Amino acid sequence: MELTFEKWEDGRWFVVLPDYDGDQEDLEMVDGADKFLDYLTEDGLYVTVDVSLEDDYPVRLKLVAHDEIGGRYQVENLDGFNEDVWLCNVVHFLFGEHPEEIYFNIK
């Protein structure tokens, strides 16, 4: 699955999900996910990644904590980035749950 993230003029990152019918604020990337996207971007405005629940790609997000509003993931196999990221329950819209592992590759 391909996902694109865009950075708004106010500096906030959002995942682009045209089929999502919830509030736009639900799609904001916060609490480490924004820093993660800043790290990944080349142009400072967009990031596109391929995402899989299979071990298809080199970088892994490993679930370390989950509660009723989201999950915290440890980023593995990405040189130079050593922070956790928080992903809200919009992940359920994409995968039906917060998976134990999410793999991705930067396009």
Short mmCIF file of all heavy atoms in Angstrom, two decimals, residues 17-57:
data_model
loop_
_atom_site.label_atom_id
_atom_site.label_comp_id
_atom_site.label_asym_id
_atom_site.label_seq_id
_atom_site.Cartn_x
_atom_site.Cartn_y
_atom_site.Cartn_z
N LEU A 17 -5.54 10.70 2.99
CA LEU A 17 -6.48 9.57 2.89
C LEU A 17 -7.82 10.08 2.37
O LEU A 17 -8.73 10.37 3.16
CB LEU A 17 -6.67 8.89 4.25
CG LEU A 17 -5.47 8.19 4.87
CD1 LEU A 17 -5.81 7.66 6.25
CD2 LEU A 17 -5.00 7.05 3.96
N PRO A 18 -7.98 10.20 1.06
CA PRO A 18 -9.22 10.75 0.51
C PRO A 18 -10.48 9.99 0.91
O PRO A 18 -11.56 10.59 0.99
CB PRO A 18 -9.01 10.67 -1.00
CG PRO A 18 -7.53 10.56 -1.18
CD PRO A 18 -7.01 9.87 0.04
N ASP A 19 -10.40 8.70 1.18
CA ASP A 19 -11.57 7.91 1.53
C ASP A 19 -11.93 7.96 3.01
O ASP A 19 -12.95 7.40 3.42
CB ASP A 19 -11.37 6.44 1.12
CG ASP A 19 -11.27 6.28 -0.38
OD1 ASP A 19 -11.80 7.14 -1.11
OD2 ASP A 19 -10.64 5.30 -0.83
N TYR A 20 -11.12 8.61 3.82
CA TYR A 20 -11.39 8.71 5.25
C TYR A 20 -12.47 9.76 5.47
O TYR A 20 -12.37 10.89 5.00
CB TYR A 20 -10.11 9.10 6.00
CG TYR A 20 -10.28 9.17 7.50
CD1 TYR A 20 -10.40 8.01 8.24
CD2 TYR A 20 -10.35 10.38 8.15
CE1 TYR A 20 -10.56 8.06 9.62
CE2 TYR A 20 -10.51 10.45 9.52
CZ TYR A 20 -10.62 9.28 10.24
OH TYR A 20 -10.79 9.33 11.61
N ASP A 21 -13.55 9.38 6.19
CA ASP A 21 -14.67 10.31 6.36
C ASP A 21 -14.73 10.94 7.75
O ASP A 21 -15.72 11.59 8.09
CB ASP A 21 -15.99 9.62 6.03
CG ASP A 21 -16.29 8.43 6.93
OD1 ASP A 21 -15.49 8.14 7.84
OD2 ASP A 21 -17.33 7.78 6.71
N GLY A 22 -13.66 10.82 8.52
CA GLY A 22 -13.60 11.45 9.83
C GLY A 22 -13.05 12.87 9.74
O GLY A 22 -12.92 13.44 8.66
N ASP A 23 -12.73 13.44 10.88
CA ASP A 23 -12.18 14.79 10.95
C ASP A 23 -10.75 14.85 10.41
O ASP A 23 -9.96 13.92 10.62
CB ASP A 23 -12.16 15.29 12.40
CG ASP A 23 -13.55 15.47 12.98
OD1 ASP A 23 -14.49 15.74 12.20
OD2 ASP A 23 -13.70 15.35 14.21
N GLN A 24 -10.43 15.94 9.77
CA GLN A 24 -9.07 16.15 9.23
C GLN A 24 -8.03 16.06 10.34
O GLN A 24 -6.95 15.53 10.14
CB GLN A 24 -8.98 17.51 8.54
CG GLN A 24 -7.61 17.83 7.99
CD GLN A 24 -7.18 16.93 6.85
OE1 GLN A 24 -7.99 16.58 6.00
NE2 GLN A 24 -5.93 16.54 6.83
N GLU A 25 -8.36 16.54 11.54
CA GLU A 25 -7.42 16.50 12.65
C GLU A 25 -7.02 15.07 13.02
O GLU A 25 -5.94 14.85 13.56
CB GLU A 25 -8.00 17.20 13.88
CG GLU A 25 -8.12 18.70 13.74
CD GLU A 25 -9.31 19.14 12.87
OE1 GLU A 25 -10.33 18.41 12.82
OE2 GLU A 25 -9.21 20.19 12.24
N ASP A 26 -7.86 14.10 12.71
CA ASP A 26 -7.54 12.70 12.97
C ASP A 26 -6.34 12.25 12.15
O ASP A 26 -5.67 11.28 12.52
CB ASP A 26 -8.71 11.78 12.61
CG ASP A 26 -9.94 12.00 13.46
OD1 ASP A 26 -9.84 12.64 14.53
OD2 ASP A 26 -11.02 11.52 13.05
N LEU A 27 -6.08 12.92 11.05
CA LEU A 27 -5.03 12.51 10.12
C LEU A 27 -3.69 13.20 10.38
O LEU A 27 -2.71 12.96 9.68
CB LEU A 27 -5.48 12.79 8.68
CG LEU A 27 -6.80 12.13 8.27
CD1 LEU A 27 -7.16 12.54 6.84
CD2 LEU A 27 -6.74 10.63 8.41
N GLU A 28 -3.65 14.03 11.42
CA GLU A 28 -2.40 14.74 11.75
C GLU A 28 -1.39 13.78 12.36
O GLU A 28 -1.72 12.92 13.18
CB GLU A 28 -2.66 15.89 12.71
CG GLU A 28 -1.41 16.71 12.96
CD GLU A 28 -1.65 17.95 13.81
OE1 GLU A 28 -2.80 18.16 14.26
OE2 GLU A 28 -0.69 18.70 14.04
N MET A 29 -0.14 13.93 11.97
CA MET A 29 0.96 13.12 12.46
C MET A 29 1.64 13.89 13.59
O MET A 29 2.19 14.98 13.36
CB MET A 29 1.94 12.81 11.34
CG MET A 29 1.29 12.18 10.11
SD MET A 29 0.41 10.65 10.44
CE MET A 29 1.78 9.57 10.82
N VAL A 30 1.59 13.35 14.81
CA VAL A 30 2.09 14.04 16.00
C VAL A 30 2.95 13.10 16.83
O VAL A 30 3.08 11.92 16.55
CB VAL A 30 0.92 14.59 16.85
CG1 VAL A 30 0.09 15.60 16.07
CG2 VAL A 30 0.02 13.46 17.36
N ASP A 31 3.53 13.64 17.89
CA ASP A 31 4.22 12.86 18.92
C ASP A 31 5.28 11.91 18.35
O ASP A 31 5.26 10.72 18.57
CB ASP A 31 3.20 12.10 19.76
CG ASP A 31 3.77 11.65 21.11
OD1 ASP A 31 4.88 12.09 21.47
OD2 ASP A 31 3.11 10.86 21.79
N GLY A 32 6.19 12.48 17.61
CA GLY A 32 7.30 11.71 17.04
C GLY A 32 7.09 11.35 15.59
O GLY A 32 8.05 11.27 14.83
N ALA A 33 5.84 11.12 15.17
CA ALA A 33 5.57 10.81 13.77
C ALA A 33 5.90 12.01 12.89
O ALA A 33 6.37 11.84 11.76
CB ALA A 33 4.12 10.37 13.59
N ASP A 34 5.67 13.21 13.40
CA ASP A 34 6.00 14.42 12.65
C ASP A 34 7.51 14.56 12.48
O ASP A 34 8.01 14.87 11.40
CB ASP A 34 5.40 15.66 13.31
CG ASP A 34 5.70 15.78 14.80
OD1 ASP A 34 6.16 14.79 15.43
OD2 ASP A 34 5.45 16.85 15.37
N LYS A 35 8.27 14.28 13.53
CA LYS A 35 9.73 14.32 13.44
C LYS A 35 10.25 13.25 12.49
O LYS A 35 11.22 13.47 11.76
CB LYS A 35 10.36 14.11 14.82
CG LYS A 35 10.10 15.25 15.78
CD LYS A 35 10.71 14.94 17.12
CE LYS A 35 10.33 15.99 18.15
NZ LYS A 35 10.82 15.64 19.49
N PHE A 36 9.61 12.09 12.51
CA PHE A 36 9.95 10.99 11.63
C PHE A 36 9.79 11.42 10.16
O PHE A 36 10.66 11.19 9.33
CB PHE A 36 9.03 9.81 11.97
CG PHE A 36 9.25 8.57 11.17
CD1 PHE A 36 10.46 7.94 11.12
CD2 PHE A 36 8.17 7.99 10.50
CE1 PHE A 36 10.63 6.76 10.41
CE2 PHE A 36 8.33 6.83 9.79
CZ PHE A 36 9.57 6.21 9.74
N LEU A 37 8.68 12.08 9.84
CA LEU A 37 8.44 12.54 8.48
C LEU A 37 9.41 13.65 8.10
O LEU A 37 9.89 13.70 6.95
CB LEU A 37 6.99 12.99 8.31
CG LEU A 37 5.98 11.84 8.42
CD1 LEU A 37 4.57 12.38 8.55
CD2 LEU A 37 6.11 10.89 7.24
N ASP A 38 9.74 14.53 9.04
CA ASP A 38 10.77 15.55 8.77
C ASP A 38 12.09 14.88 8.41
O ASP A 38 12.81 15.33 7.52
CB ASP A 38 10.98 16.46 9.99
CG ASP A 38 9.94 17.54 10.12
OD1 ASP A 38 9.37 17.96 9.09
OD2 ASP A 38 9.70 17.98 11.26
N TYR A 39 12.40 13.78 9.08
CA TYR A 39 13.64 13.05 8.81
C TYR A 39 13.61 12.41 7.41
O TYR A 39 14.62 12.38 6.71
CB TYR A 39 13.84 11.97 9.88
CG TYR A 39 15.11 11.20 9.72
CD1 TYR A 39 16.32 11.70 10.19
CD2 TYR A 39 15.13 9.96 9.09
CE1 TYR A 39 17.50 11.00 10.04
CE2 TYR A 39 16.30 9.25 8.92
CZ TYR A 39 17.49 9.78 9.40
OH TYR A 39 18.65 9.09 9.23
N LEU A 40 12.44 11.92 7.01
CA LEU A 40 12.33 11.20 5.75
C LEU A 40 12.22 12.09 4.51
O LEU A 40 12.60 11.69 3.42
CB LEU A 40 11.10 10.29 5.76
CG LEU A 40 11.07 9.17 6.78
CD1 LEU A 40 9.76 8.39 6.68
CD2 LEU A 40 12.27 8.24 6.61
N THR A 41 11.70 13.29 4.67
CA THR A 41 11.41 14.13 3.51
C THR A 41 12.68 14.65 2.84
O THR A 41 13.67 14.93 3.50
CB THR A 41 10.50 15.31 3.89
OG1 THR A 41 10.11 15.99 2.70
CG2 THR A 41 11.17 16.28 4.84
N GLU A 42 12.60 14.75 1.53
CA GLU A 42 13.70 15.36 0.78
C GLU A 42 13.38 16.80 0.43
O GLU A 42 14.27 17.64 0.41
CB GLU A 42 13.98 14.56 -0.49
CG GLU A 42 14.59 13.20 -0.20
CD GLU A 42 14.98 12.45 -1.46
OE1 GLU A 42 15.03 13.07 -2.55
OE2 GLU A 42 15.23 11.25 -1.37
N ASP A 43 12.10 17.09 0.17
CA ASP A 43 11.73 18.44 -0.24
C ASP A 43 11.10 19.26 0.89
O ASP A 43 10.78 20.42 0.71
CB ASP A 43 10.81 18.42 -1.45
CG ASP A 43 9.46 17.78 -1.17
OD1 ASP A 43 9.15 17.45 0.01
OD2 ASP A 43 8.69 17.61 -2.13
N GLY A 44 10.90 18.63 2.06
CA GLY A 44 10.31 19.33 3.19
C GLY A 44 8.81 19.45 3.14
O GLY A 44 8.21 20.00 4.06
N LEU A 45 8.18 18.92 2.10
CA LEU A 45 6.74 19.08 1.93
C LEU A 45 5.97 17.78 1.81
O LEU A 45 4.82 17.70 2.21
CB LEU A 45 6.45 19.94 0.69
CG LEU A 45 7.02 21.35 0.71
CD1 LEU A 45 6.78 22.02 -0.64
CD2 LEU A 45 6.40 22.15 1.84
N TYR A 46 6.58 16.76 1.21
CA TYR A 46 5.89 15.49 0.95
C TYR A 46 6.79 14.31 1.25
O TYR A 46 8.00 14.39 1.09
CB TYR A 46 5.46 15.38 -0.52
CG TYR A 46 4.44 16.41 -0.93
CD1 TYR A 46 4.84 17.60 -1.52
CD2 TYR A 46 3.09 16.19 -0.72
CE1 TYR A 46 3.92 18.56 -1.89
CE2 TYR A 46 2.16 17.14 -1.09
CZ TYR A 46 2.57 18.32 -1.67
OH TYR A 46 1.65 19.26 -2.02
N VAL A 47 6.15 13.20 1.65
CA VAL A 47 6.83 11.92 1.80
C VAL A 47 5.86 10.86 1.29
O VAL A 47 4.69 10.85 1.69
CB VAL A 47 7.19 11.61 3.27
CG1 VAL A 47 7.76 10.21 3.40
CG2 VAL A 47 8.17 12.62 3.82
N THR A 48 6.34 9.98 0.43
CA THR A 48 5.54 8.84 -0.02
C THR A 48 6.30 7.57 0.35
O THR A 48 7.50 7.48 0.11
CB THR A 48 5.29 8.90 -1.53
OG1 THR A 48 4.57 10.11 -1.83
CG2 THR A 48 4.45 7.71 -2.00
N VAL A 49 5.58 6.63 0.94
CA VAL A 49 6.18 5.36 1.36
C VAL A 49 5.30 4.20 0.91
O VAL A 49 4.10 4.35 0.73
CB VAL A 49 6.38 5.29 2.89
CG1 VAL A 49 7.34 6.34 3.38
CG2 VAL A 49 5.06 5.40 3.63
N ASP A 50 5.93 3.07 0.70
CA ASP A 50 5.22 1.81 0.53
C ASP A 50 5.15 1.16 1.90
O ASP A 50 6.15 1.10 2.62
CB ASP A 50 5.94 0.88 -0.44
CG ASP A 50 5.79 1.31 -1.88
OD1 ASP A 50 4.68 1.76 -2.25
OD2 ASP A 50 6.76 1.20 -2.64
N VAL A 51 3.96 0.66 2.26
CA VAL A 51 3.73 0.10 3.59
C VAL A 51 3.20 -1.33 3.43
O VAL A 51 2.39 -1.60 2.55
CB VAL A 51 2.70 0.96 4.36
CG1 VAL A 51 2.43 0.36 5.73
CG2 VAL A 51 3.19 2.38 4.48
N SER A 52 3.65 -2.22 4.31
CA SER A 52 3.21 -3.61 4.26
C SER A 52 3.20 -4.20 5.67
O SER A 52 3.97 -3.77 6.53
CB SER A 52 4.16 -4.42 3.38
OG SER A 52 3.84 -5.79 3.39
N LEU A 53 2.36 -5.19 5.86
CA LEU A 53 2.38 -5.94 7.12
C LEU A 53 3.29 -7.16 7.00
O LEU A 53 3.53 -7.85 7.99
CB LEU A 53 0.96 -6.35 7.53
CG LEU A 53 -0.01 -5.20 7.78
CD1 LEU A 53 -1.35 -5.74 8.25
CD2 LEU A 53 0.56 -4.21 8.78
N GLU A 54 3.77 -7.42 5.81
CA GLU A 54 4.72 -8.50 5.56
C GLU A 54 6.13 -7.92 5.61
O GLU A 54 6.33 -6.73 5.44
CB GLU A 54 4.46 -9.13 4.19
CG GLU A 54 3.04 -9.63 3.99
CD GLU A 54 2.66 -10.74 4.95
OE1 GLU A 54 3.52 -11.60 5.24
OE2 GLU A 54 1.51 -10.74 5.41
N ASP A 55 7.09 -8.79 5.79
CA ASP A 55 8.50 -8.37 5.88
C ASP A 55 9.06 -8.09 4.49
O ASP A 55 10.03 -8.68 4.06
CB ASP A 55 9.29 -9.47 6.58
CG ASP A 55 10.69 -9.04 6.94
OD1 ASP A 55 11.05 -7.88 6.72
OD2 ASP A 55 11.45 -9.90 7.44
N ASP A 56 8.39 -7.15 3.77
CA ASP A 56 8.77 -6.84 2.39
C ASP A 56 9.77 -5.70 2.28
O ASP A 56 10.37 -5.52 1.22
CB ASP A 56 7.52 -6.45 1.58
CG ASP A 56 6.52 -7.58 1.47
OD1 ASP A 56 6.94 -8.75 1.50
OD2 ASP A 56 5.32 -7.28 1.36
N TYR A 57 9.89 -4.87 3.31
CA TYR A 57 10.67 -3.65 3.24
C TYR A 57 11.65 -3.58 4.40
O TYR A 57 11.45 -4.22 5.43
CB TYR A 57 9.75 -2.44 3.24
CG TYR A 57 8.73 -2.46 2.12
CD1 TYR A 57 7.37 -2.44 2.40
CD2 TYR A 57 9.13 -2.51 0.80
CE1 TYR A 57 6.43 -2.47 1.37
CE2 TYR A 57 8.20 -2.53 -0.23
CZ TYR A 57 6.86 -2.51 0.06
OH TYR A 57 5.94 -2.54 -0.95
#
